[in-house]
Amino acid sequence: KRTCLHLAASEGNIHVVQALIGFSVDINIRDRWGGTPLADAVREGQLKVGELLRSRGAELGWDEVRCSSGHTHSPRLRTCGATGTCGA
């Protein structure tokens, strides 16, 4: 169950991602492996697409690091707008 948004995000096709967002697609839709379009963009190093998705409220959908306070952080997400500090 891969969507057009998953594919565009993983390939870094920001124009298609923008168009799909304009059509109000679910930006947090999960594929058959539980991945989100943002997770695909981050995994493939598509920083501009990742920043766009984050600015629209997209979520990674997976835990990578938990700090001592129990909050979830992702070192890779810092490149997409997260601060990396635990103020969650």
Side-chain angles (χ1 to χ4, degrees):
K1 180 180 160 186
R2 300 271 295 158
T3 67
C4 292
L5 185 57
H6 283 96
L7 295 173
S10 66
E11 292 295 320
N13 194 328
I14 198 160
H15 300 293
V16 171
V17 172
Q18 289 170 327
L20 292 168
I21 290 171
F23 286 115
S24 301
V25 298
D26 178 1
I27 61 171
N28 289 309
I29 191 164
R30 304 275 181 143
D31 64 17
R32 62 183 151 199
W33 300 285
T36 64
L38 177 58
D40 286 355
V42 170
R43 183 188 68 242
E44 297 300 325
Q46 305 298 344
L47 302 182
K48 290 184 181 187
V49 170
E51 290 168 354
L52 172 63
L53 290 168
R54 282 292 291 168
S55 74
R56 301 300 176 97
E59 299 172 356
L60 275 174
W62 42 262
D63 295 346
E64 194 165 274
V65 177
R66 288 205 179 266
C67 70
S68 60
S69 301
H71 300 118
T72 302
H73 301 279
S74 170
R76 289 186 288 177
L77 187 58
R78 289 187 194 131
T79 59
C80 295
T83 63
T85 61
C86 187

